Structures are given as structure tokens and as C-alpha cells.
Amino acid sequence: MKRIAVLGGGPAGAFAAERLAASGLETVLLDEKLAWEKPCGGGLTYKAYREYPFLIDNDKPKKIVWDTYLSEPKAGAVKMKLTHPLVIYSRFDLNRMLLERAERAGAQLEKTRVLEMGRGASRWHIRTSGGVIDADFCIVATGARNSLRQVGTQWTRNDTMFALGYYVPSMQEHIDIQFLPKLEGYIWVFPRCGHLSVGICGKGESAQSLRKRLEDYMSLRCISWQNAAFYSHVLPSLATPAWKTNHIAGDGWLAVGDAAGLVDPITGEGLYYAMRSGDLASRMLVEERHPGSAMTTAYRAALHRDFAADLAFSATFARRVFVGRFLFGTVPARMIQFMRRSPRFHDLMQDLFAGTQPYSDLKRRLLRNLNGTLHEVVMNFFFGRLVTGENKI
Ligand SMILES: Cc1cc2nc3c(=O)[nH]c(=O)nc-3n(C[C@H](O)[C@H](O)[C@H](O)COP(=O)(O)OP(=O)(O)OC[C@H]3O[C@@H](n4cnc5c(N)ncnc54)[C@H](O)[C@@H]3O)c2cc1C
């Protein structure tokens, strides 16, 4: 029987290990920390728990959040009631739940650091801080800071963004998303059980500058970071060329999750894609339909069909979403103004938040509804002026 080593026990590795072990393959998962509070918002969209219902149907601590406020300095704020709530976990709780599931399915978990791996005639020899482990196949799930040089995506500066923030001992019941001038990213305030995750992600900007922007925002909102733990991490955000050359598989290995760069370049959502790629990779091994190098091609094709083509497409216009201009204003400002005045546009944004609106169909939906949306915006604008004397779009 094949022995599979899963390197890394975040959502990608833990879920792959669960699937492999449940299918009867001998599976060993190696992680230097096992369950830990990985820097993350911890938000799971409807798309994630629709595909994997146990993510919402369980008794683990989590926040179910229905209301989101989107803001931009010039346009102000708009409230969006989500049709499907966002489920927010602490990463310790989410990772622990996924690792427990993997262990229950029969995977062997080991707390150890993978130092290097070498390929013999047909087997891997994996050197860890605890010794050497042999395996027939490796699933590489070591995240965005993958230190194993020969496996997993190798990206340039242009393919990542910084993400940092604070765990603030405070409470609120809604999500805040704040856009800022010339920021290719956004600030978030996510309510979690017992604290808030307040963070910022941004591309092409230093961590220092992002931290300054975040602290300015927190001061303005009277959110203190005095007793808050600081976190920072790198987030894959592949640019268009990298989606084509992405090194996600090779002889005897498949990469999943952040180690394969599988993160939404616009929203930074990576949890669903980590689990989904773990699921697809494990199917490749369980089904054994693609021997040798054919598996690389088959895995790449499976990812492409499932979600990677859509994410690659979103990379072509990600920058414009944050710093582009439309009708003499910034795109985020216009987005908020349209949401306020057009129920159709509001619906579209709800679907984007739920993860049920593919990027590849966005333009078509916008054009299909253009007349109606503009009609709603214009009617709302004039009605607002007539009734309330309001004079800003
Ligand atoms: C600040 C921030 C906020 C985010 N917010 C969200 C969000 O709200 N929603 C969302 O969907 N996504 C979010 N993401 C993205 C999400 O965190 C990642 O996409 C997700 O964690 C990827 O899962 P993974 O299993 O691939 O990697 P990870 O979760 O990073 O797991 C990798 C694992 O590998 C282990 N490891 C690494 N190297 C070794 C080694 N050499 N030996 C042994 N073990 C090793 C680590 O200990 C770790 O447990 C956010 C990311 C950041 C940085």
C-alpha cells in the first residue's frame, strides 16, 4: 500500500490527510506546530460551507455574521445584509477541528519540522527535526512561507501581498471593510469569539506603510491596539504570468493551498481554495487514474476547471478593483454609491461576498443589468434630492 506524507497541517494539509486516510491510504501528516493561531481573518464564505457543510454544522466556537459595512473615505459607508452569513473562526479552532477530523479518519499526526526532502529511485526520504520518514508520495501543504525549495510555487514580489493586523480584545457584531486611497487591498474588522481580528492587506506596499495605515484607521475608529497581539504574514496574490507558470506539481508530489499560490487575488480568500485543492489532490491519489507525470497534467487541469481559471482571470483586473477609476471617481467609491442606490448592484455584491458569483461572468452580469442598474441609480439620486434635499451622489 502507498504511504503518503502530507507536509503541513493547515486547512489544505489537514483536509487532504482526512480524505486520503478515509480512503484507506496510509497517511502521515507532519506539521511543526499542529493547531496554532495562524495569522488570518478566519472568514469562511457560503461557497466553502455549501461545499463542506461540516464547516458550519458543528459545535466548535465560531461567529456567524450577517451584516457588513463597506466604506470609502469619499463615499461613506453602506450596509450590506448578507444573504448567506460569513462564518468566522479563530484559526486555532479551525485548524484543530480539521486536524481532529484527519486523525479520526486514520491519519497519523506528527509534530515535527520538515527540514528537507530527497527523492530516491521511487520513494521520498523526508528529513525532519525528529528523524527521517519515507513515503511514496508527498502532498506539499507548507503554506505561503514554504521553505522546501524544490517543491511548491516560487513567486516573485509581484505575486504576494503583505497582510498584518491585531487581535483586539473587543466585540462587535458586524464586519467592516474599509477601502483607502491608492491602496491595492483593504482593511477588515472581523468579529470573532471573544475578540476582533483587525487587519490590512495590500500589494506593492511595505509592511511598515500598511501598519501605519491600519493604526491611523484604528485611531479614527477608537479601536485601541495597546493590549492587542500583533500578527503579520505573507499572502499569495499571483499576478497573471504566475498563474501560467505556477509550479504546483512534479514527480511524486502535488502542492495544495498557499504553497501552490491558490488564493483569490482580489479578496485574499484562501481557506476554501486550500481545502478544495487538498480535496482534489487527494482524489488524484485515491483514484490512481493518472500514472507518473500524467498526474501533474491531470491535477493542473482539475484545479483549472474547478476554480483556478476563475482566479487567474480575476488577476487580470484585481488592481483596477482597488485603484481604478470609473465615472470620474475611484472604483470602490462608485461601488459603494451604486450599492446604496441600486438593488440589482447590491444583489451582485452579495453574491460576490457569498462566493457564488464567478469573476468570469461578472462583466456579462454587469452589462445585462446595466440599464436597470443605471435606471435605479438615477431614480434613487433624483428621488433622494427631491425628498431629502440630499445633493451628493
Ligand atoms: C492576515 C491574513 C488574513 C487572512 N484572512 C483570510 C480569511 O479571512 N479568509 C480566508 O479564506 N483566507 C484568509 N487568509 C488566507 C488563509 O490564511 C490561507 O489561504 C490559508 O491559511 C492557507 O492554508 P494552507 O493550509 O495552505 O496554509 P497554512 O494555513 O499556512 O498552513 C501551513 C502549515 O504548514 C506548516 N509548516 C510550514 N512549513 C513547515 C515545515 N517546514 N515543517 C513542518 N510544518 C510546516 C505550518 O506550521 C502550518 O501549519 C488570510 C491570510 C492572511 C495572511
Side-chain angles (χ1 to χ4, degrees), residues 10-12 31-32 36 38 40-43 91 114 142 163 235 258 270-271:
D31 191 295
E32 60 185 332
W36 66 294
K38 192 236 156 185
C40 185
R91 279 299 301 271
V114 177
T142 38
L235 191 56
D258 280 15
L271 291 170

Side-chain angles (χ1 to χ4, degrees), residues 7-13 30-34 36 38-44 91 95 112-115 141-148 163-164 188 190 200 231-236 256-259 262-263 268-272 274:
L7 316 180
L30 314 171
D31 191 295
E32 60 185 332
K33 299 182 190 141
L34 290 177
W36 66 294
K38 192 236 156 185
C40 185
L44 285 165
R91 279 299 301 271
N95 283 23
T112 188
R113 179 167 173 79
V114 177
L115 301 173
T142 38
R145 288 188 176 142
N146 175 26
S147 59
L148 305 169
L164 54 89
W188 69 85
F190 276 12
I200 185 168
Y231 61 82
S232 73
H233 212 277
V234 64
L235 191 56
V256 292
D258 280 15
L262 301 174
V263 173
E269 177 185 5
L271 291 170
Y272 169 71

Side-chain angles (χ1 to χ4, degrees), residues 204-254:
E205 199 165 319
S206 70
Q208 207 179 10
S209 154
L210 289 172
R211 189 166 179 173
K212 163 93 173 57
R213 284 193 192 253
L214 181 65
E215 289 175 356
D216 287 349
Y217 168 81
M218 290 170 79
S219 295
L220 214 66
R221 289 273 322 272
C222 301
I223 303 173
S224 168
W225 61 90
Q226 290 317 317
N227 295 315
F230 178 73
Y231 61 82
S232 73
H233 212 277
V234 64
L235 191 56
S237 175
L238 302 192
T240 301
W243 283 104
K244 293 190 185 118
T245 55
N246 199 4
H247 192 213
I248 50 162
D251 181 23
W253 65 273
L254 299 176

